[in-house]
Amino acid sequence: MTLSADPILDSLEAFAEAAGDPTPLVYARLFAAAPEMEALFVRDTDGAVRGQMLQQVFETLIDHVGARAYSANLIRCEVVNHENLGVPPAVFASFFRTVMEAVRGTIGERWTPQTADAWRALLADIDAVLAKHLAVTA
Ligand code: HEM
C-alpha cells in the first residue's frame, strides 16, 4: 500500500509546534488508557527513556510513510522486546493510536480530513505488520 506521507509529516510538525515537548502529553494518554503500564517505567527516573521511546516512534512512523528502510523490522523487534518487558502486543500496538490521538487533540484546525485519512491508512498498515508477525510467531 502506498501511504500518504505529507499529511502525516505536516501533522507531526504541527504537533511539535503546538505541544513543545509532547512527551508528557502522550504518556498521560497512555497511562489513562493502560494505567498498569506506568509501573514498567520504574527505571525511567528522569523521563529520558519515555522521551527516547517516543522519538523512536516518531522516526519509525516517518520511515514507514517514506523510505521504509527499517520500520517494519523495528516494529517486529520491539514488539518482542516489549513483550519481555511486560507489555502485551495489543498494548504495544495501541501506542501508535495513542500518538495519533494526542496529535489530533493538540493541533486544532491543522487536523484536516486528509490528515484523518492518512493516519487511518498508516495505523491500518502498522496493524497489518503486527498481525502478520503475530500470526507467524503465535
Ligand atoms: C503502550 C506501548 C508501550 C509501552 C507500555 C512501552 C514501554 C516501555 C518501557 C517500560 C520501556 C523502558 C524499558 C527499560 O526500563 O529498559 C520502553 C523503552 C523503549 N521503547 Fe517502549 N513501550 C511501548 C511502545 C513502544 C513502541 C511502539 C516503540 C517503537 C516502535 C517503543 C520503543 C522503545 C524504545 C526504543 C525503548 C528504549 C528507549 C531507551 O531506553 O533509550 N516502545 N518502552
Side-chain angles (χ1 to χ4, degrees):
M1 192 201 306
T2 307
L3 297 172
S4 186
D6 287 349
I8 300 292
L9 300 180
D10 288 349
S11 69
L12 292 176
E13 197 180 300
F15 188 44
E17 284 167 19
D21 177 7
T23 311
L25 229 151
V26 171
Y27 285 86
R29 279 182 185 267
L30 170 64
F31 298 145
E36 69 284 8
M37 290 296 116
E38 191 161 6
L40 298 181
F41 287 89
V42 275
R43 299 194 312 135
D44 189 20
T45 47
D46 62 357
V49 173
R50 286 174 180 75
Q52 190 56 40
M53 175 174 131
L54 183 58
Q55 191 55 39
Q56 175 79 265
V57 169
F58 286 142
E59 285 167 13
T60 303
L61 291 170
I62 291 166
D63 182 70
H64 204 71
V65 296
R68 287 198 179 222
Y70 64 85
S71 55
N73 279 335
L74 186 134
I75 290 167
R76 285 191 284 258
C77 286
E78 287 297 345
V79 75
V80 176
N81 289 338
H82 281 70
E83 205 168 0
N84 292 331
L85 288 171
V87 181
V91 177
F92 177 86
S94 74
F95 193 70
F96 297 102
R97 193 167 308 279
T98 302
V99 170
M100 178 279 283
E101 287 167 357
V103 172
R104 187 178 61 195
T106 305
I107 68 172
E109 64 192 19
R110 289 179 73 178
W111 182 271
T112 67
Q114 289 74 26
T115 325
D117 285 348
W119 271 98
R120 201 174 303 118
L122 172 57
L123 295 178
D125 203 80
I126 289 176
D127 281 348
V129 167
L130 281 166
K132 208 157 90 188
H133 172 70
L134 295 172
V136 171
T137 57

